[in-house]
Amino acid sequence: RSKYEKYLKVKKLFKLFTISVPRTLTGGLYEINNFLYYIPDYDIDSYYEKDTGFKRIEETSIVF
């Protein structure tokens, strides 16, 4: 079987655990590649609220 065929078998399940997040909010997430990131189970509360979704905490910098 090709990788694509294998993906098609798990696609529906995979999408249950996938969200889209603006690139500006991916700082601090664990990067798999340039467009795919993940949050380990032990860190999920830092980035995700069950009722409201992804926490929109943008990194800020102070310039003096």
Side-chain angles (χ1 to χ4, degrees), residues 2 5 7 12-13 15 22-23 26-28 36-37 44 48 52-53 55 57 60 62:
S2 71
E5 288 172 326
Y7 168 72
K12 190 173 184 178
L13 179 63
K15 289 191 175 209
R23 186 173 294 269
T26 59
L36 190 59
Y37 300 81
I44 196 77
Y48 194 82
T52 59
K55 294 179 181 180
I57 303 170
T60 58
I62 300 172

Side-chain angles (χ1 to χ4, degrees), residues 3-64:
K3 287 182 182 180
Y4 183 71
E5 288 172 326
K6 290 177 184 177
Y7 168 72
L8 290 177
K9 288 188 84 167
V10 297
K11 177 181 173 183
K12 190 173 184 178
L13 179 63
F14 183 72
K15 289 191 175 209
L16 292 174
F17 299 95
T18 306
I19 61 172
S20 295
V21 176
R23 186 173 294 269
T24 57
L25 301 177
T26 59
L29 298 180
Y30 299 85
E31 185 174 348
I32 295 174
N33 56 39
N34 286 336
F35 66 93
L36 190 59
Y37 300 81
Y38 76 98
I39 303 169
D41 290 340
Y42 64 83
D43 211 10
I44 196 77
D45 292 336
S46 298
Y47 295 96
Y48 194 82
E49 286 283 337
K50 186 177 180 179
D51 296 329
T52 59
F54 190 79
K55 294 179 181 180
R56 298 182 65 88
I57 303 170
E58 297 187 43
E59 290 186 39
T60 58
S61 56
I62 300 172
V63 179
F64 295 97

